[in-house]
Structure formats: structure tokens, C-alpha cells
């Protein structure tokens, strides 16, 4: 099923999140991540789709059906809440069976479905326990199973991994990915963590300030960001920024002059800042402030005109370094923030 | 849901859920209250035949000038100001002490709750026996310690104190149960997090338990005050149907009882009831107001 | 869901049950007899004695059936009457304090008995027990449970110390002073000494319970001093929250107890082993004897049908027959009501066997009952409050009585 | 070390307090086993010299206690069930539903909690008389079917529950009605048990109202039956105490029975937090 928000406008008080004429589409059968910093309106969109929020104007479409005014009970969706919202008085088995019970599914059929789902999320051995006896990861699996119980046409996940530690996170990313593949249900996954999004989503919708900044695959967003906000949000360490006005001449020369004339800011990915093989090749020199080992990568903080961070410089004892910039990792932005040119364009 | 605003339809739906409570309340609380309100303004009134010949403020004027009523107001206020804080503090303390799952706590919980189970009348007689001058348990203990026996019940200086003690004793049970129910709702993780943050037991209480317990506390404070504003049974039982030596334990409720059932002055009784209501109401509003100012009522 | 269904079922079941029981009031069963409902304030042994008499009446004839029900103490009965009068659900008749009659007349729900009873029957009643029945020239209250204030004394203590039963308050005061020197208490009073004060006031010639009492009259003040001075000297004590002075009296260190003759039964039952007590008429004051008679009467309500009224009257007159009134007196310690009953052999025999009952009978010739008037209960309550202050010695009689006088003036306005 | 000492002090204090709480009951029990003549004697005998079990036998004969018991049981259970129903429904509406006048209505209800009951006694009696309910079970039950205190307590508890449970149930296809009985009520069982218990006690011990609205001995409740043992002239303490023991015993047993429930609620709180 394809879910569409069409020209949706919504303003409601608690956190002043405002959507204005917002439009987006979640393609059928895909796992889409809605990525954005907190306060960007991700949860608002999720709740709109779930029917927990009603838009002031605009339409919500499931395929061709207008569900804007439809109660969430009748939308046939599944949802996993950030705090899981498991029913504390029901066993795992009954939690998963709850939506089916509400739909008056016969007990035998219910049990069969529970068994299937428990197998899918690998909690078959926990069925008799109460939620409070489970670890966070297990609770997450239960919540997922419950959300899938009545074969929803849309699965909504609200920051499902945010309260888990790194190992569990990895594990559950796989679970979610696999479950989505196995069931083929259209899934919207809300997160502020780009790794979650990059790792499992088919598409990422990047949201900031109540605006949809860009939609695309992880690679699209990284290599071809539409604007400064996207470029800054995706990729770690964060994009290095250098005002065009203060660029050293050798570096300026390596960029297309026509674009440069309109641009105000140069963005350089950290892996594009490399050690020049010979001093003559250097586009500028920088002072080493600090070097840190982050697993495979070495993170080098440099002081040139602006402060820069590189991940492509091997460990060194020298205090100043000659640096070259890989054109591939360069991006030029206009004063409006629009991306004018990327090194990957060629 | 989250942002839904009241509509005619949602109001009707809510009305269905509210109807049972509201209908009963309207019939058996609001309607008689209106009756009482009207009655307090009748000055030449035949209660049985319901003939009203004059309306006015005479009943309130009577209360304004009646030294007995002043005494009742004074006693009631002293009682509330004495009993309420002590009851709330003690029951919180005991509830915190009992909020463990050890086996002994279960038994103790039951014991603390016992006073509430018993009818006031019977227990009043028992207290009467404990406080009596000779042969009373309390005086027997005092004499063991070489102190003079005190005529607790017949000395106007002590009679109100005795009443306070009985009220506290009887009020503890409910409040402990309510506090325990409130503690039950607390998320222990906050306390654990606070412990990790290096908070002492006291800091944990003031910074974590107490704020989270505040809604229940406000409810208990209001409820305890209301209960003690309305003290009657205890007085009646403790002093054999009198208001204590020299009216030392005359409460507003007892005054109301006397006016309406002993003296047949129903209009004055109604007026005094309304004043009692105003007292309790303003006190509650005050508590509620302070609480709202703390800004926690609406999350 | 299940829980809710359970609620609903049980709720409707109960409502149904309530409705059924409301419908199935035993009307059909007694269609032949006229039912007379009778609310009274007798409990325990007294209730059982009364039930026996009701049973006797029901068996004595076949026209009426009296259904008596105990409604707690007199305060409770009064509350029930108030509520029932307001909602027009009164019984046929009730036992009540006669001082309520003016209120009932004002409320227009009581009916005079004159048309239904034989005046000769009432005339058989001892005069001092009969005073209470009249209000505004009509008979509203039928004497029923009456008791006199009497003096109980500890026989052994008196004998041991060479005291005699006092004839006057002066003697009583003197003996009390002597007793105090020996570590004894002279007189035990009930929680409130209103009855004794009422007596003394009457004896002083300044009655307390009249619409316009002379409270600041020196004789009234002096009469009050009799009691308060004894309390001050600690030759007398009030029962305080024990309620009744017999508690103190039974501790065996008190010579006298001024109490109600209706307490004879309960006192006999709770006498500690080895204590012997007797009774006497209350002492005189200023050379005058007077004893206040307290008690309750029967009244007939207007809502009763003609047949019920007749039945109630028949029952009231039945209660006045020698046999019944003597039975009542023997079982409860209340006074027998008629002159013939007092003289009857059965009762005289009873007095020989129970000498303690004599004092009340001897008090009858000097007995008096308060005149009832509108506002009686308000005044009594005010008097009681003053007495309460007097007994804790918070105020002097002079001041207390003056305050009371002022208060009565204000309420009567 | 200090921790152990502290814990010891805590338990000691609690035990001491419990002793104080228990004292009147011990006295009550002892008195109920004394003969009438010793209660007034000096020095007071704290311990009965010979146990008068006969007192219990006598009270059972003095009044139709079994009938009173049955009536009390009936009235108490129906009143409590009814109150729970009305309070739960209203508390749910105030917690989760949107309607006009919500705040004002809540304030009004809160204010009504403060009305002194004695003021309403007679007007209510008149209402019941108009309904022809005097001297019926309905008179004992219907006026008490709404308890504002219970409503407010439950409302407090309900609103403390995470709202996501409500949303989750909704998305899982539960109607408000289903959410109410399948989620809200079961998850709040400890609080509901606590308020129900308070109500049971109140209604079991009610005296004034049953006295006034019931004229017929067959419909009397236990506390009203107790009055058979007091009179104007004095009280037979041993009998009264024996009767009182009989009246409060069922409540104590009930409390001990529910204790497990209450404790369950209290001890599970640690982990309940996780789902909050």
C-alpha cells in the first residue's frame, strides 16, 4: 500500500511543530526511514499517518482511499511506540494476541498467528512471561510482533531503537529489516539516528524544520544532497565548511569557476581532506590540533582558515601538514543553502 | 486523539460515560444542597409544613452573634490545623517505612489499617476507657513514670487534644493506604537513576519520590482536611453525646447536629452547614491553587 | 467486559430485589386487622419487655395489630420523626419526649387524643405523671415510660462512718465535707447536673424550664451554688465522659449518687461484688421537697387513619391497665403509672422484694414535670451548655447564669 | 553497618506504632470476654478472670444477627460495585475524552466532595419518600452509587498512566469501551482494590442513613443492629464490645484477604516502571 500525505497543514500546541502544505509519499512495500533532528516534525507525521493526529487541512491517502477523517482503529495499521506501550498486565502471548482479540479472531486462529509472529521475531521461548520480565530488546520484539499481528497495511515505528545499547541496536536493525522483507509491509521508520536509517531503509526522507528536505537512497543523500541542511545532517564526521571568500588560491583553482562565482560556501567531506604526497601538491597547509583513533579511522582536527576535520590522514608526529582536497568530496552551496555543484557530478 | 478538540459529538459520547455518576450526584448531592442553600435564607419557616413567610440574612446574623458558633469555628480550625499536618506527615512516614516487600511489612500494613475498619462509635467507647481518669490506661502509664494523672476527658484544656489524638489515630490508615497506592505508581527507575547519581536517601526523597508523590499528597491533604472539618462521630462517642467539658470539643459539625436534630432549628443549621462548606471549599481552593502554582497538576 | 457484565447483573438483581421487597410489604397478610405502627426508643431488656406487652395486646383482641420497632435511642427516634414528618411517612404512633409536642403541633402532624380515649382512664394516672400530657388544653401525650430522680447511697460506707441518709441538701453537704476528710467523695452526679439544678431551682421557687426563667434571681444563684460549691470543694464530682455517675459510685468511695430511677435495672446488673447500695428520696432544699420526673410519652400522628387512631388509643389504654403497667414497672424500673397499680398487691409485693424501687414511688407525691412550651429544646440545650461550663468551674454561677439569661433573650426575639 | 542499624530502627518504630494502633482492639477483645459486673470495678481488670464466651452467644440471641449480616453484605457489595462502575466510567471520560465544560465540571465535582453529608440527610430522605423508596434496599443503595472521592482518586491514578497505552490499544483496534475494561481497569487493579476497600468499609459501617431510611427490622444492617446494646440508662460494655467485634471481624478478614492483592500491586511497582 502506498501512503501519501497531501498538502497537509497542522499546528498544535505542545511542542510548536508546524507542518505547512506538507506532501510526501511512502511507496508500496518499502521500508522508508523518516530522518531528522528532534523537533523536526517526524513524530507529527507518524501520528498523522496513525490517525492519532488530525490535520487542520490537507489529505491523507492510503493508496487511493482518503483516510484523513478515519479513526485509527479502522486504518489497519501497526505501530511500535518509542516506549513500546506493552500492556503490563498481559503476558507476551496475550500482548501479541490483543489486536486479534479486539478483532474477534477465534482463539485457535489467534494462537496460530501468535506462534508465527513469535517465530518471526524470535521470542517463542518468552511467550509466558510478563513484559516487565523482559529485556528492552525483547520488549521491542514483542511490540513489533504485536504491531504485525493483524496484517497491517502500514507499519509505523517510532524511534524504535533509541533506548537500546549499540549491540542490541545492531541486532534489532537486522530484525526489523528482515521482518519487513519477510512481510513486505509498507513501513515508515522514524529516527534521528542516521546510521539506523542508512543501514536498513530503502529510502530516506530527510526532514528538518517541518520541511521535507530530500528523499532518496542513503547514497543519494550523501553524494547528492539537495542543500546544506541535508549535507550537514548526513555523514559523520559532519561536513567541513569553508566560506568561499577565504579559500586559498590553489584550492579555489581546482573548483569550477563558473559555479564558484555564485557559491558562498564550500563543503568538504572529511575523507576528502588528504595528506599531499609532496609539499608542492599541497593546496594549503594546516596545523594539527589533535589526532584520535576511532576504530579503523583516524580523526584529525586541523586548523586552517576554518577548523577542519579529516579521516583520511594517517597518524603523524608533524605539527603542520600539506593538504590536498579530493574534488570528489567537494560541494558548493549558494547563500540560500541550495547545493550548486558536487564533486561527484562528473 | 492527541489534538482532538471537544465537539458536540465527543461531548455526547463523554456524557454517556459521565451520566451514571452525574445523575446520582445531581439527585443526591446537588439537589439537596440547593435545598439547604434556600433553607438558610428562610427566617420565618415552618419546617414540617414547608411554609416560608420571610426571607433574609437573619440566620447568618444569628451565627455572627452566637458565641457558641464562634467557639465551634475556633475548635474546628484548631482541630484541622493540628490533625491534618500530623496525620499527613505520619502516614507518609509510615507508608515509606512500609513500602517494602518484606513479610513483616504485610502484617504491619494490616495493623495500621485496622482503625479505619472499625466503626467510630465503638472505638469512641474504647478510647473513652483509655483516657479515663482512674483505671484509664494512659494515666496508669503516666503514674508508672511518676507523673500526675490527668483528667483528659473532663479537663477543657486537654479535651481537644484527646479528640485530635483519636482523629489522627483513625485517619492514619486510609492515608497510609493511599500513599502506598501512590508509591506503587512511582517508577522505581527514577530512584535508581538518582542513586547512581550519588543522591543520599534524603535527596532521593526530596528530589524524586516527593515530587512524584505530590498529586497524591494534595489529594490526601484535601481529603484529610475535609474529614477533620466534618468531625462529629468521634466527639459524640468520646463524650457520651455531649460536646466535651464546657463545649471544649464543640465542632462545627456538632453545632450543626445540635441545631438541626436537638433544637429543631433547621434554618440555622442549614446556614451553619453552608459556612462550613465555604470554609472547606476555600481551604481546598487554596491547596489546589498552591498546587497549580507549582505547576504540576497539568503534568 | 466480564467484570462489567458482572456489575450490571448484580446491580439489576439488587434493584429488582429492592423493588420486590418494597412491593411485598406485608399488607395482604394483615388485611383483616388494622396495623398500628409504633416507633419507640427502647433497646435491650426494655425492648424485650415492651415486645412482650405488644404481644399481649395483639393477643387480647383481634381488630388491631401493633407492630413495634425500636429505632435506637430517643435522639434517633426524634430524628426519624423529623425526617418522616417532612416526607409524610410517619408511623401511627411513637414514643417521644413530651417536650417535643409544641414542635409537632406547630408542624401540624400530631393529633390530640381527646376524641379517642376515655378521660377517666387518664385520670387514674398519678397527677405528677399526668402533667405532661396536656398542651394548649388538649391531651397530646400519653404517659408511658416515667422515672424519678432519686438518691442512691452506699449502705456499707454510710454505716461504717456513721452517716445517715440526708434529708436536706444542707445535711448532704455537711456529710460530704466529713467524708472528704476520710478520703471519700460525697456525691456523684451524672455527666450533666441539669436535672439536679432543675430540682433545686424548683425548690428555690425559681423554676428553670419556663419560657421566662428568673436566672439572675439571688435564690436561683444560691441554688446553683449548692452544686458548684460542692464541685469546687471536691465533695462532689460529675461523671464527665463516663456519662453516668454510677461508674464513680460503684468504685466504692462515694457516699451518694443522684440518678434516675430508670437506671435501677442496669445498676443491679453491673453492681460489683461486695458493694451494697440502697435508694432514698432526694433531699429537700429551703424546706421544700420536689423531684423532677423525666420520661417519655406516646403520641398519635395525624397521618393515621381513623381505625388506626382508634387502635392506637386502645393500645395506649391497654398499657395503662394495672396488669401491664405493673409488668412494665417490674421489668424496667420505670414507674407504674396509675394509682391503682401502685396500690396493687402485686406491685407492693415487688417493692418488698426490691426495696430499692421504693424511693421513686415515694418521690411521686413531690414529683413535677417541666411545663412544655415552644422553644423548650433550644432552651434546654442552652441550659445544658451552661451546666457543662459550670461543672468544669470555668464560670461562676453568677456569670454563667447571666450569660444564659442574655442568650435566652436573644433566641426568644 | 549504619544501614543495618537504620533498618532496625525503622522496623522498631513501625512495630511500636503498630502496638499503639492495636491497643484499642486488644482492649475491645478483652472487654468482650468480661462479665458485666467487672467492667465498672476498681482496680480495672485488664485481663478477664474467667472468659465469658457466653457474651458472644448472648448477642447472637439478642438480635436477628444473621439477617443483619446478610443485609449488610448485600448493601455493601452492591454499593461498592455500583460506585466502582460510576467512578471508573467518569474517571475514564475525564482522563481520555474531550468534551465541553471539562474543567468547570471537574471543579464543580471537586467542590461537591466537600459538602457536609449531614446537611443533605433530610432533603435526601424527602426525595426517597417521593420515590416511595423508604424502607427498601434501594434506599440503602441508590443514593450512595456515586462517590466523588473515589472518582477523583481513580482519575488521579488513570492520568498517571502513560497515554501511549491508550493510543496503542486504539491502533490495535480496541474501542474506548474495550480499552477501558481490557487495559485501563486491569492495569490499575491495586488502586481500584484500595478505593473499593475504603468504600466497603464506609458502607459496612454506615449508621445514620440506614437508621433513618429503614423502619423494618428485616432490612436493618449490622451497625444499626448494634444499637440494641446501648440504652439511655447505661451501656452493657461487654455485650456491646462483643457485638462490635462481630461487626468488624468480616472487614478484618476481607482486608487480610485483599492484602495479597494490595501487596502484589505494591511489590510489582519496581518493574512496572519499565513499561512506563
Amino acid at each position: 500500500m502506498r501512503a501519501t500525505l497531501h498538502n497537509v497543514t497542522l499546528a498544535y500546541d505542545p511542542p510548536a511543530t508546524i507542518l505547512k502544505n506538507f506532501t510526501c509519499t511512502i511507496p508500496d512495500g518499502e521500508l522508508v526511514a523518516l530522518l531528522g533532528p528532534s523537533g523536526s516534525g517526524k513524530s507529527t507525521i507518524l501520528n498523522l499517518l496513525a490517525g492519532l493526529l488530525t490535520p487542520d487541512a490537507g489529505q491523507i491517502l492510503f493508496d487511493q482511499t482518503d483516510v484523513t477523517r478515519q479513526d485509527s482503529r479502522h486504518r489497519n495499521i501497526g505501530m511500535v511506540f518509542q516506549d513500546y506501550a506493552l500492556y503490563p498486565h498481559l503476558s507476551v502471548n496475550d500482548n501479541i494476541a490483543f489486536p486479534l482479540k479486539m478483532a474477534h479472531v477465534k482463539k485457535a486462529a489467534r494462537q496460530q498467528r501468535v506462534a508465527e509472529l513469535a517465530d518471526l521475531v524470535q521470542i517463542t521461548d518468552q511467550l509466558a512471561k510478563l513484559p516487565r520480565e523482559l529485556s528492552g530488546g525483547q520488549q521491542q520484539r514483542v511490540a513489533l510482533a504485536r504491531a504485525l499481528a493483524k496484517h497491517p497495511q502500514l507499519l509505523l515505528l517510532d524511534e524504535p531503537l533509541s533506548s537500546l545499547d549499540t549491540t542490541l541496536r545492531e541486532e534489532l536493525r537486522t530484525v526489523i529489516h528482515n521482518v519487513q522483507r519477510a512481510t513486505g509491509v509498507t513501513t515508515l521508520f522514524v529516527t534521528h539516528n542516521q546510521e539506523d536509517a542508512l543501514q536498513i531503509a530503502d529510502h530516506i526522507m530527510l526532514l528538518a524544520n517541518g520541511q521535507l528536505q530530500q528523499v532518496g537512497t542513503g547514497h543519494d543523500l550523501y553524494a547528492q544532497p539537495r542543500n546544506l541542511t541535508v549535507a550537514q545532517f548526513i555523514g559523520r564526521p559532519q561536513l567541513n565548511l569553508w566560506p568561499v571568500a577565504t579559500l586559498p588560491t590553489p584550492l579555489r583553482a581546482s573548483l569550477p569557476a563558473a559555479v564558484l562565482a555564485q557559491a558562498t560556501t564550500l563543503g568538504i567531506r572529511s575523507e576528502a581532506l588528504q595528506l599531499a604526497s609532496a609539499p608542492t601538491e599541497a593546496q594549503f597547509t594546516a596545523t594539527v590540533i589533535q589526532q584520535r583513533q576511532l576504530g579503523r579511522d583516524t580523526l584529525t582536527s586541523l586548523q586552517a582558515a576554518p577548523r577542519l576535520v579529516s579521516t583520511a590522514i594517517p597518524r603523524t608526529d608533524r605539527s603542520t601538514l600539506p593538504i590536498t582536497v579530493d574534488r570528489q568530496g567537494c560541494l558548493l552551496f549558494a547563500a540560500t543553502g541550495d547545493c550548486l555543484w558536487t564533486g561527484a557530478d562528473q | 486523539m492527541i489534538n482532538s478538540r471537544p465537539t458536540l459529538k465527543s461531548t455526547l459520547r463523554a456524557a454517556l460515560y459521565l451520566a451514571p455518576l452525574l445523575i446520582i450526584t445531581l439527585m443526591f448531592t446537588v439537589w439537596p444542597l440547593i435545598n439547604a442553600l434556600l433553607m438558610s435564607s428562610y427566617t420565618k419557616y415552618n419546617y414540617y409544613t414547608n411554609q416560608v413567610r420571610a426571607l433574609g440574612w437573619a440566620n447568618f446574623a444569628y451565627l455572627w452573634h452566637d458565641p457558641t458558633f464562634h467557639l465551634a469555628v475556633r475548635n474546628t480550625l484548631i482541630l484541622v490545623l493540628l490533625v491534618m499536618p500530623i496525620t499527613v506527615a505520619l502516614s507518609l512516614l509510615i507508608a515509606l517505612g512500609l513500602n517494602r516487600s518484606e513479610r513483616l511489612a504485610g502484617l504491619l500494613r494490616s495493623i495500621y489499617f485496622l482503625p479505619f475498619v472499625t466503626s467510630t462509635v465503638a472505638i469512641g467507647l474504647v478510647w473513652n476507657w483509655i483516657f479515663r481518669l482512674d483505671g484509664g490506661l494512659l494515666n496508669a502509664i503516666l503514674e508508672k513514670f511518676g507523673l500526675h494523672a490527668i483528667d483528659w476527658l473532663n479537663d477543657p484544656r486537654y479535651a481537644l487534644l484527646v479528640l485530635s489524638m483519636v482523629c489522627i489515630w483513625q485517619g492514619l490508615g486510609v492515608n497510609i493506604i493511599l500513599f502506598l497506592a501512590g508509591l506503587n505508581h512511582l517508577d522505581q527507575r527514577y530512584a535508581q537513576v538518582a542513586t547512581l547519581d550519588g543522591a543520599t536517601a534524603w535527596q532521593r526523597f526530596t528530589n524524586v519520590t516527593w515530587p512524584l508523590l505530590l498529586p497524591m499528597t494534595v489529594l490526601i491533604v484535601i481529603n484529610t482536611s475535609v474529614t477533620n472539618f466534618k468531625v462529629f462521630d468521634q466527639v459524640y462517642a468520646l463524650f457520651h453525646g455531649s460536646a466535651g467539658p464546657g463545649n471544649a470539643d464543640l465542632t462545627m459539625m456538632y453545632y450543626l447536629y445540635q441545631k438541626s436534630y436537638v433544637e429543631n432549628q433547621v434554618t440555622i443549621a442549614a446556614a451553619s452547614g453552608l459556612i462550613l462548606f465555604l470554609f472547606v471549599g476555600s481551604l481546598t481552593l487554596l491547596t489546589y491553587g498552591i498546587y497549580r502554582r507549582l505547576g504540576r497538576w497539568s503534568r | 467486559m466480564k467484570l462489567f457484565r458482572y456489575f450490571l447483573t448484580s446491580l439489576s438483581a439488587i434493584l429488582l430485589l429492592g423493588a420486590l421487597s418494597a412491593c411485598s410489604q406485608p399488607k395482604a397478610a394483615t388485611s383483616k386487622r388494622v396495623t398500628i405502627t409504633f416507633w419507640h426508643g427502647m433497646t435491650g431488656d426494655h425492648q424485650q419487655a415492651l415486645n412482650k406487652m405488644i404481644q399481649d395486646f395483639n393477643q387480647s383482641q383481634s381488630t388491631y395489630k401493633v407492630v413495634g420497632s425500636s429505632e435506637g435511642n430517643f435522639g434517633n427516634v426524634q430524628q426519624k420523626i423529623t425526617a418522616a414528618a417532612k416526607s409524610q411517612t410517619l408511623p401511627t404512633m411513637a414514643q417521644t419526649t413530651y417536650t417535643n409536642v409544641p414542635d409537632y403541633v406547630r408542624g401540624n402532624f400530631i393529633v390530640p387524643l381527646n376524641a379517642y380515649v376515655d378521660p377517666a382512664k387518664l385520670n387514674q394516672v398519678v397527677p405528677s405523671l399526668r402533667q405532661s400530657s396536656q398542651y394548649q388544653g388538649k391531651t397530646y401525650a400519653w404517659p408511658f415510660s416515667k422515672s424519678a430522680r432519686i438518691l442512691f447511697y452506699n449502705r456499707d460506707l454510710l454505716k461504717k462512718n456513721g452517716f445517715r441518709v440526708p434529708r436536706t441538701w444542707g445535711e448532704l453537704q455537711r456529710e460530704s465535707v466529713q467524708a472528704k476528710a476520710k478520703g471519700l467523695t460525697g456525691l456523684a452526679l451524672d455527666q450533666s447536673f441539669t436535672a439536679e439544678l432543675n430540682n433545686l431551682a424548683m425548690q428555690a421557687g425559681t423554676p428553670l424550664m419556663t419560657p421566662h426563667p428568673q436566672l439572675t434571681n439571688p435564690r436561683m444563684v444560691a441554688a446553683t451554688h449548692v452544686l458548684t460549691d460542692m464541685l469546687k470543694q471536691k465533695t462532689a464530682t460529675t461523671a464527665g465522659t463516663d456519662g453516668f455517675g454510677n461508674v464513680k459510685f460503684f468504685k466504692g468511695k462515694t457516699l451518694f449518687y443522684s440518678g434516675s430511677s430508670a437506671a435501677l435495672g442496669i445498676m443491679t446488673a453491673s453492681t460489683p461484688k461486695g458493694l451494697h447500695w440502697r435508694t432514698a428520696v432526694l433531699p429537700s432544699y429551703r424546706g421544700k421537697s420536689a423531684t423532677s420526673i423525666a420520661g417519655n410519652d406516646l403520641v398519635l400522628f395525624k397521618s393515621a387513619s381513623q381505625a388506626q387512631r382508634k387502635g392506637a388509643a386502645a393500645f395506649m389504654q391497654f398499657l395503662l391497665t394495672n396488669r401491664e403497667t405493673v409488668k412494665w414497672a417490674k421489668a424496667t424500673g420505670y414507674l407504674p403509672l396509675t394509682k391503682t397499680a401502685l396500690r396493687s398487691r402485686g406491685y407492693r409485693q415487688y417493692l418488698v422484694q426490691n426495696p430499692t424501687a421504693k424511693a421513686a414511688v415515694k418521690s411521686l407525691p413531690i414529683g413535677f414535670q417541666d411545663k412544655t412550651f415552644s422553644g423548650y429544646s433550644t432552651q434546654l440545650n442552652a441550659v445544658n451548655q451552661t451546666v457543662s461550663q459550670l461543672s468544669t468551674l470555668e464560670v461562676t454561677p453568677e456569670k454563667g447564669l447571666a450569660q444564659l439569661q442574655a442568650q435566652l433573650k436573644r433566641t426568644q426575639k | 553497618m549504619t544501614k543495618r542499624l537504620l533498618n532496625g530502627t525503622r522496623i522498631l518504630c513501625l512495630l511500636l506504632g503498630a502496638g499503639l494502633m492495636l491497643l484499642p482492639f486488644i482492649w475491645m477483645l478483652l472487654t468482650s470476654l468480661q462479665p458485666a459486673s467487672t467492667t465498672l470495678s476498681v482496680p480495672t481488670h485488664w485481663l478477664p478472670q474467667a472468659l465469658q464466651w457466653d457474651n458472644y452467644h448472648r448477642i447472637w440471641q439478642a438480635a436477628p444477627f444473621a439477617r443483619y449480616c446478610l443485609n449488610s453484605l448485600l448493601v455493601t457489595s452492591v454499593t461498592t460495585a455500583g460506585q466502582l462502575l460510576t467512578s471508573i466510567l467518569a474517571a475514564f471520560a475525564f482522563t481520555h475524552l474531550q468534551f465541553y465544560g471539562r474543567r468547570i465540571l471537574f471543579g464543580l465535582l471537586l467542590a461537591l466532595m466537600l459538602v457536609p453529608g449531614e446537611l443533605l440527610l433530610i432533603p435526601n430522605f424527602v426525595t426517597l419518600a417521593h420515590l416511595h423508596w423508604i424502607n427498601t434496599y434501594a434506599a440503602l443503595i441508590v443514593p450512595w452509587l456515586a462517590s466523588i472521592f473515589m472518582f477523583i482518586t481513580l482519575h488521579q491514578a488513570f492520568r498517571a498512566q502513560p497515554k501511549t497505552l491508550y493510543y496503542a490499544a486504539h491502533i490495535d483496534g480496541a474501542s474506548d469501551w474495550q480499552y477501558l475494561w481490557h487495559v485501563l481497569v486491569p492495569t490499575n487493579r491495586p488502586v481500584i482494590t484500595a478505593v473499593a476497600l475504603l468504600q466497603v468499609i464506609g458502607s459496612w459501617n454506615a449508621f445514620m442513613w440506614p437508621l433513618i431510611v429503614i423502619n423494618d427490622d428485616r432490612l436493618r444492617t449490622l451497625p444499626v443492629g448494634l444499637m440494641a446494646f446501648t440504652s439511655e440508662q447505661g451501656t452493657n460494655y461487654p455485650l456491646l464490645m462483643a457485638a462490635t467485634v462481630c461487626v468488624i471481624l468480616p472487614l478484618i478478614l476481607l482486608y487480610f484477604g485483599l492484602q495479597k492483592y494490595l501487596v502484589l500491586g505494591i511489590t510489582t511497582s519496581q518493574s512496572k516502571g519499565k513499561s512506563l
Side-chain angles (χ1 to χ4, degrees), chain B residues 14 16-21, chain C residues 4, chain D residues 83-95 97 151 154 158 177 180-181 185:
Chain B
L16 284 179
Y17 284 90
L18 293 169
L21 184 91
Chain C
F4 178 63
Chain D
Q83 274 191 3
L84 279 177
L85 181 66
T86 57
S87 306
I88 286 172
L89 290 179
F92 165 77
F94 270 98
T95 312
L97 300 183
F151 153 69
L154 288 180
F158 287 179
W177 190 250
L180 180 55
W181 298 109
V185 169

Side-chain angles (χ1 to χ4, degrees), chain A residues 239-258:
Chain A
L239 184 69
N240 293 302
L241 296 183
W242 202 326
V244 167
T246 62
L247 285 178
T249 326
L251 182 53
R252 188 183 275 270
S254 67
L255 300 168

Side-chain angles (χ1 to χ4, degrees), chain A residues 297-313:
Chain A
D297 292 336
T298 308
L299 203 69
T300 311
S301 303
L302 300 166
Q303 183 73 51
R307 209 58 186 277
L308 300 170
V309 173
S310 165
T311 50
I313 297 172

Side-chain angles (χ1 to χ4, degrees), chain B residues 13 47 97 106 112 117 184 297, chain D residues 10 14 122 159 176 259 265:
Chain B
R13 247 162 54 81
Y47 178 66
Y112 278 103
V117 173
N184 165 31
W297 192 269
Chain D
R10 178 179 70 90
L14 285 174
I122 301 237
R159 56 181 292 155
D176 280 350
Q259 169 91 352

